[in-house]
Amino acid sequence: MTKNNTYNNWLTSISGEDALIIAGPCSAETEEQVLQTAKGVKKAGAHIFRAGIWKPRTRPGNFEGVGAIGLKWVQKAKAQTGLITAVEVANPHHVELALSHDIDILWIGARTSVNPFSVQEIADALKGVKKTVLVKNPINPDLALWIGALERIEKAGIENLGAIHRGFSSYKKMPYRNEPLWQIPIDLKTRFPDLPLINDPSHISGKHENVFDIAQTAIQLMFDGLMIETHIQPEKAWSDARQQITPETLASFIPKFIPPNDRVFNAGLLKTFKLLRKDIDDIDAELVQLLRQRQEKIEEIGRLKLNDNVAIYQKDRWLDILSKAVHNAEENNINQKFVEQLFRLLHQESLKIQHRVFKQSQSPSIDN
Ligand code: PEP
Ligand code: MN
């Protein structure tokens, strides 16, 4: 993708300085539900109305979307509310139908962006079309694959492009439906600062009660907008009932999504930042010096172990180090999990350093 492409600033032309809000049901179910939800999200302050027309479901037999009839309802919702409309497309046929129903924004879902063949077919169907296209992250945590999907769409001539972060599928036991892995969208934003980046807290959370927290985290992390599943009667939704919120709840959330300043304008604050950052830089330099000293001790112990034929890994010593570190963390009010992870990393490196000492003794020296 082109670096520093302005992507035509389509997002700011819709939301200005505010966070862009896309809201609407997981699925279009009935005409009444589509029209009522559209009116509700418009009143709440959303900019764009979303609705799923064809639903990618994990197993057959579940509700797979109402199909093309739903596009007519979305068109009607647009006529009645003036909202910009967005639907998911998963193949060229969907693209053709969405275009013939005058849908403004098409998005590619997580189960489609994972497959370059499917994305390319959609890209080919979009050649010469002037629409906005949003690409959700693939279900697996693969930034290159996400960028590849965006590139295919861009190469088809789509200038109004954007990315949606909806989290990543995982078999781990976790509080989320999809793991956020925030570093991945942050890496995308760092590489393509002008590419609009939207967060989908509904599919990350999987539960309506966690949607706000995730959305707020995204806003603090400088995301440009949010896509939030909204339904007039979430508990009766035909898909993703557990994670949808009502338009009234959405209305109570939106005023709280105030984007932070990405630059510091206040001169006094800037001065304080400079001092604090200097302190942090000094501490970081000191940390590296301490690691150097730690490494020297480890090398010495490695040589002694080698001389006396002692095993590198000493379980009791490791457990002792770990329990001391965790106890210390507790005493100093530092996150114990973080300290534990850090010490695991240190120990892993320590084993590596000692292995290196052992290996060096085995390779013939240049002198003999
Ligand atoms: C959706 O937006 O309703 C959807 C199916 O999302 P995802 O592609 O992120 O699973
Ligand atoms: Mn959904």
Side-chain angles (χ1 to χ4, degrees), residues 26 55 203 229 240 243:
C26 178
K55 300 307 296 178
H203 287 90
E229 282 191 343
D240 288 350
Q243 71 195 30

Side-chain angles (χ1 to χ4, degrees), residues 25-27 50-52 54-57 88 107-113 136-137 139 164-167 177-178 200 203-204 227 229 239-240 243:
C26 178
S27 304
R50 66 149 276 160
W54 303 278
K55 300 307 296 178
R57 307 315 301 272
E88 175 178 349
W107 88 81
I108 298 179
R111 289 164 196 76
T112 308
S113 59
K136 283 199 171 193
N137 67 257
I139 47 176
I164 304 176
H165 166 236
R166 51 77 79 194
R177 177 176 174 194
N178 289 293
D200 171 347
H203 287 90
I204 291 177
M227 180 189 253
E229 282 191 343
S239 61
D240 288 350
Q243 71 195 30

Side-chain angles (χ1 to χ4, degrees), residues 42-248:
K42 164 91 181 181
K43 193 162 161 232
H47 305 98
I48 298 170
F49 178 65
R50 66 149 276 160
I53 301 297
W54 303 278
K55 300 307 296 178
R57 307 315 301 272
T58 306
R59 301 187 59 194
N62 290 331
F63 170 62
E64 292 189 328
V66 290
I69 179 85
L71 292 170
K72 294 213 186 317
W73 306 336
V74 174
Q75 241 182 328
K76 207 163 173 182
K78 177 175 165 172
Q80 290 187 7
T81 62
L83 281 170
I84 296 165
T85 53
V87 304
E88 175 178 349
V89 290
N91 61 41
H93 182 57
H94 294 167
V95 173
E96 193 189 312
L97 282 167
L99 294 179
S100 67
H101 288 81
D102 202 23
I103 302 295
D104 304 298
I105 298 178
L106 312 181
W107 88 81
I108 298 179
R111 289 164 196 76
T112 308
S113 59
V114 82
N115 182 348
F117 291 126
S118 302
V119 176
Q120 192 55 54
E121 282 181 7
I122 294 172
D124 293 341
L126 286 168
K127 282 221 169 85
V129 170
K130 291 259 164 284
K131 290 279 173 188
T132 299
V133 178
L134 307 176
V135 181
K136 283 199 171 193
N137 67 257
I139 47 176
N140 54 325
D142 185 338
L143 178 59
L145 194 58
W146 195 2
I147 293 175
L150 286 155
E151 279 170 342
R152 285 176 198 277
I153 303 302
E154 190 185 42
K155 279 210 168 109
I158 297 293
E159 290 175 347
N160 294 355
L161 200 57
I164 304 176
H165 166 236
R166 51 77 79 194
F168 302 89
S169 184
S170 171
Y171 200 52
K172 265 194 274 183
K173 203 173 154 18
M174 54 178 187
Y176 305 106
R177 177 176 174 194
N178 289 293
E179 205 173 5
L181 302 177
W182 294 102
Q183 194 57 45
I184 295 179
I186 287 171
D187 285 346
L188 181 72
K189 190 77 181 161
T190 308
R191 283 179 63 178
F192 306 102
D194 295 327
L195 178 72
L197 180 60
I198 292 156
N199 174 259
D200 171 347
S202 309
H203 287 90
I204 291 177
S205 145
K207 298 187 192 110
H208 64 80
E209 59 270 34
N210 293 339
V211 167
F212 180 77
D213 274 359
I214 295 168
Q216 196 158 50
T217 302
I219 295 297
Q220 287 302 324
L221 290 173
M222 309 302 295
F223 277 65
D224 303 292
L226 300 162
M227 180 189 253
I228 300 181
E229 282 191 343
T230 311
H231 192 290
I232 33 164
Q233 283 181 298
E235 65 290 349
K236 296 210 172 128
W238 298 1
S239 61
D240 288 350
R242 188 72 184 82
Q243 71 195 30
Q244 303 201 59
I245 60 170
T246 62
E248 291 72 32

